[in-house]
Amino acid sequence: MKSKNKLIKNLSNISKTRRSFLRSTLAIGAGGTALSLFPGLAARAENVSGTIRYSNWIGGPGDIEMWENVIAAFEAAHPGTKIEYEPVAWTEYWTKLNTQFASRSAPDIIGFQMQSRTWGVEGRFEPLSEPFADLLDGIVDSQLKVTQAPINGGMEQYGLPFRMVGASLFGNISSMKAAGIDYPSEDWTIDDFVAAAKRLTNADQWGTAVTGGPVDLNQASTFGARPTTLDYSTATFNSPEYTEFIKWQHDLIYKHKVAPAPADLSTQKEPFSSGAVAMFPSASWMYPGYREIESFEWDILPDPIGSHEPKTYAGPDNLGITTDSKNKALAIAFLRFVFTRASQTIIASTGMPVVIDYLLDESRIAKEAASGPANYGYFVKGAVERGEGYAFAPPFFEILGHINDAYALIMNEESPDIDGILANANARIQQALDA
Amino acid sequence: MTSKLIQSATHMPPDSNQTVRKFSLGDITANTILVVLFVVIVVPFIWSAIASFQTPLDFVSGKGFLPSEWTLTNYEKVFTDIPMTRMIFNGLFIAGTASIGGVFASAIAAFCLAKVSFKGRALYLSIVILTMMIPPAVLLIPFYTIMYALSLIDTPWALILPHLTGSAFAIFFLRQHMLTIPHELHDAAIMDGCSIASIFFRIYLPLVKGPMSVLIIINFMLHWNDLLGPLIYLNSVEQMTPTAGLSFFRGQFATEYPVLLAGSLVCIVPTTIVFLLFNRQIRHGLLITGLK
Amino acid sequence: MSQIKSPKATVIWILVFLFPPTIGLGLVYYSAVQGLTMGFTNWNMISSPKWIGFKNFGQIWNDYRFWASVSNTLVIVLVTVPAQIGLGLLAAVLVHRTKGKTSTILRFVYFYPTTCSVVALGLMWLFIYDAGGLLNQGLEFVGLESVRWLGYGNALLSVCILIIWTGFGYISLIYVAGLAAIPEQYYEAAHLDGANSWQQFFNITLPMLTPTTFFLIIVTTIGAMQTFGQVYIINGRADSTLTIVQYIYEKAFTQFNMGYAAALSWILISFILILTVIQVRLQRYWVSYDI
């Protein structure tokens, strides 16, 4: 409870920049239903009718069902409306979206990651600060920032996060027990981590694995390493900190021999659930898959501490209303519905909710922990208190591509030219940031 | 040795000497090559088919070749998680209409370009062939805009109509075939005062039936297997084709590989049936040449 | 070769016959001109395009990824085109001598991969090439070291193998048709003249197949220059399998730089055009339509 109150205080402080009258609607802790939390909703809901199109990419198993449930709930509460849901595979999502944008026929509501920084200003997204003013303070602030863009001297909200995803270190508890390793305390260090990995490595299993971005951000942060500066202006991929982190990872493979070269890991068989890797940096989007593991016990482990306190990779998946939309009233109504308790409950099953009181609700955390990971609370705390992500730089995909290319060149060779490869990749990341 | 191989390999007239001889070194080499190629093609399919009957658990942890437990779960998911039956009908309709219509249009054009002399014919042919060189990525957005203007988005016609105009490949292919057809036939027909339409329908169409069936098959497969087209032009799950529909099992981070594998095998079944049905016709069609 | 003359009455028929492809050509060229014009702009598909002349082309010249894609694409052309045509011809010649059921089954099986979607096949081969996949299991079984088929140095070769595996059956099918069309009398006459099998193969079979071979070289070269589906699924890291078309696709649809993508398309079209013109020019030296 203590940390929750502290958090809310922090959030209220941050949101002082917003128009002060909005703060009066902040009703966190009231524990009421969504309708009482956001009084505007009921009033607006009366007038909507017609049909809108809503398209999003498929994050993983469960996503399609999740949205079908949210839409069914919305349509039941708003007779005479229809939401046409158009799920698209990740690899083709942007192609399709761009084609539709170019012919001015984009769906009314679309999912996106960080594109609003440019698309909002270019006039592809409806501004949302005004119609969602009463909602904004109830949503995790760090996640809201991702979809804000500066315009006319102020900040405008061009999208809203509907869920958070984030990275953790996952542990095969059965293997750890067998190796006589206790569940680590929150102050264990990276040296403890390497020692544990050594004891977990045997003929059938690797102690850990080197993954590349973005889920290794937690580990990188304990070296004080980031691929770019916080304002995304400068590439720092070959900084002394990042170089040290990369060399540490390379040592895991070739010196300590506790991790496989990435090319020797299967690309189709997920390393953690297959039991091939005992301590694995992965992310919350794997929960639905990991919850089906029957052959061993698993949990989230605390992130080991290095020269710096670890951060938690956490980022939002967002929704925005396009300017191509022909039924904005219905689009707004549906988007508001996403932040009701009813929707957030459904969404929570495939990721974390973003409405603060529900996110930190202890009975919710207990419920998630019951289906695994047991230490779910540690992840929520990490994501909210020290969440960070370079996912929010506009050229995210390019940056990630350069990072993972460098990994492929470094981690699969016994003695690569680490400094040279990093310098090269850094120059390319800088180029992407400048463009 | 090699000369024997070639001898047995090339088209030989029936000859008592040749038919009596058995198991020459050349025969053995030739048969070995045929068997090796056969195995190389068949094994991956069999291996995938076996893998598609694995449980998800077997799939991630399985080390052996055979599943520890045979299951239909993956196939059930293919038909229950997405409306696969409906998608198969969509796919058959789109691929069938587009391939038959398109090849017919191509045959008529190919005839014009092979056997009718007119001014600008060579130029027209080069303009046709040039279209094969344009990367599809460039055409995607303008094409989409046209289909959108015609209100064809999210209907099968967005995928069918563009193909009914014939394809450069088919026109080129059929023209090459018509060029090799001896000209005595149409000389006679011209003498009889036939119009070019009746020359095409009475003489050339029957003669290129074989190549046309080959093309229809190939185009049917192309349309059936098209991934990007349906994903771009169709929006609703109910309108999707099977190949594109399977992408619903591909997540950004997590993909259900065993289900995807099972789905891919389901998608292969209709094309295999079509291929088997037409196989006889292709063989006969290809064997008929102008002088026989 | 005599042709149908075009008296007035047939002009109308020519117009009717060429009507559908002409509509198609109009559609393609209208779209191509619209799309390719963007090569001289900075269009990002959202804000209206601004004319920037040849600036994109200057950037491409200095773009290391472009040169990687060119080199990969050329490797694919140089490896897969001869291998597919050679293997296809060999298979066709060998299949042609088989009879009855065997012949039917062989033709069916060789052609079969062509009927499957590139996505399905790519997926299948992803399993085969995997670290613990079929190929490495086989290598381990016979006591050899496993290979990183999808590793940085090998991925391009693995893609080529997939392309050849998929494509040679189609080529052999076309060749089988070509072989069947060679009149038997030619061989009978040659046989009477005392020509041996080598001579028959080189003097009758190969020359009679030259129109087919020419067609196949043109089509497979253009296909290989536009390789996309295979590398879309089997994607080597650090641009080790990046092809030109894949780069165009990536620039256009994940980096939203349609102008740059269109400029890349200009370059690809020029490459293909040059290759095709060379092939067509060379045709007169080796292709014979009549014997």
Side-chain angles (χ1 to χ4, degrees), chain C residues 29-201:
Chain C
Y29 280 99
Y30 165 79
S31 302
V33 168
Q34 248 206 353
L36 289 170
T37 312
M38 294 302 149
F40 304 97
T41 71
N42 64 352
W43 193 40
N44 61 3
M45 297 200 239
I46 287 166
S47 45
S48 50
K50 211 179 93 197
W51 194 265
I52 55 167
F54 284 89
K55 207 174 146 203
N56 284 327
F57 293 89
Q59 273 177 19
I60 289 172
W61 182 261
N62 294 316
D63 181 350
Y64 71 97
R65 298 195 71 201
F66 166 70
W67 292 109
S69 74
V70 169
S71 131
N72 291 337
T73 307
L74 287 182
V75 168
I76 290 173
V77 170
L78 291 176
V79 172
T80 63
V81 172
Q84 282 188 91
I85 290 182
L87 207 56
L89 180 60
L90 177 70
V93 165
L94 296 183
V95 166
H96 191 60
R97 64 187 274 283
T98 61
K99 290 182 185 69
K101 271 245 156 63
T102 323
S103 177
T104 316
I105 293 172
L106 285 177
R107 281 183 220 200
F108 176 76
V109 168
Y110 290 171
F111 184 67
Y112 192 62
T114 312
T115 69
C116 304
S117 82
V118 174
V119 179
L121 295 179
L123 189 78
M124 220 164 84
W125 278 80
L126 217 50
F127 284 91
I128 292 168
Y129 284 138
D130 198 36
L134 183 64
L135 268 175
N136 280 343
Q137 280 180 21
L139 288 176
E140 268 170 43
F141 185 74
V142 296
L144 292 170
E145 286 251 328
S146 54
V147 173
R148 290 173 179 173
W149 295 100
L150 304 176
Y152 177 71
N154 301 329
L156 189 59
L157 183 71
S158 300
V159 167
C160 287
I161 293 175
L162 167 59
I163 294 174
I164 297 164
W165 180 86
T166 315
F168 87 87
Y170 160 71
I171 288 175
S172 83
L173 188 84
I174 306 275
Y175 269 133
V176 167
L179 284 171
I182 301 175
E184 212 133 284
Q185 297 94 303
Y186 291 161
Y187 290 106
E188 281 160 19
H191 192 61
L192 290 177
D193 288 349
N196 69 23
S197 307
W198 271 117
Q199 287 165 335
Q200 287 181 26
F201 179 74

Side-chain angles (χ1 to χ4, degrees), chain B residues 24-25 53 65 68 84 105 109 114 119 143 149 167 189 219 248 261 279:
Chain B
S24 74
L25 204 55
F53 290 104
F65 186 78
S68 66
M84 182 47 100
K119 222 175 164 185
F143 252 75
S167 76
N219 283 358
F248 292 133
L261 208 53
N279 194 29

Side-chain angles (χ1 to χ4, degrees), chain B residues 40-241:
Chain B
V40 163
I41 289 188
V42 166
V43 165
F45 285 102
I46 294 178
W47 194 66
S48 308
I50 292 174
S52 71
F53 290 104
Q54 284 178 328
T55 61
L57 198 70
D58 246 0
F59 173 76
V60 288
S61 56
K63 291 189 176 88
F65 186 78
L66 292 175
S68 66
E69 179 195 337
W70 295 75
T71 174
L72 284 172
T73 324
N74 300 322
Y75 288 90
E76 277 169 26
K77 283 194 90 159
V78 168
F79 283 91
T80 52
D81 284 13
I82 56 175
M84 182 47 100
T85 320
R86 167 90 200 248
M87 289 178 179
I88 289 175
F89 282 110
N90 296 339
L92 289 175
F93 175 68
I94 291 172
T97 320
S99 58
I100 294 171
V103 169
F104 192 75
S106 306
I108 299 177
F111 165 70
C112 260
L113 296 172
K115 293 292 178 184
V116 185
S117 70
F118 61 92
K119 222 175 164 185
R121 189 177 67 162
L123 180 70
Y124 195 94
L125 183 69
S126 4
I127 291 174
V128 168
I129 292 174
L130 201 63
T131 59
M132 282 203 276
M133 300 165 196
I134 302 169
V138 179
L139 304 177
L140 191 57
I141 287 178
F143 252 75
Y144 184 92
T145 313
I146 294 168
M147 290 301 143
Y148 180 70
L150 296 172
S151 301
L152 294 176
I153 298 302
D154 209 22
T155 74
W157 297 105
L159 294 162
I160 295 172
L161 284 183
H163 296 296
L164 291 187
T165 57
S167 76
F169 175 82
I171 292 173
F172 187 31
F173 180 89
L174 290 172
R175 177 182 168 270
Q176 292 295 97
H177 263 275
M178 293 197 195
L179 284 179
T180 57
I181 295 174
H183 45 78
E184 288 86 349
L185 291 170
H186 72 235
D187 280 353
I190 292 174
M191 296 288 189
D192 292 347
C194 289
S195 74
I196 69 166
S198 60
I199 291 176
F200 170 73
F201 283 105
R202 286 203 204 143
I203 300 175
Y204 283 95
L205 194 61
L207 289 181
V208 292
K209 246 193 204 156
M212 275 176 72
S213 343
V214 177
L215 278 174
I216 290 176
I217 294 277
I218 293 172
N219 283 358
F220 183 89
M221 309 301 173
L222 278 180
H223 299 317
W224 177 268
N225 292 326
D226 185 16
L227 174 72
L228 211 51
L231 282 176
I232 299 293
Y233 292 116
L234 305 177
N235 295 331
S236 40
V237 180
E238 292 73 34
Q239 296 283 355
M240 280 295 163
T241 65

Side-chain angles (χ1 to χ4, degrees), chain A residues 74-89:
Chain A
F74 176 81
E75 287 174 349
H78 300 79
T81 62
K82 177 144 183 52
I83 313 292
E84 286 175 353
Y85 174 44
E86 299 167 2
V88 183

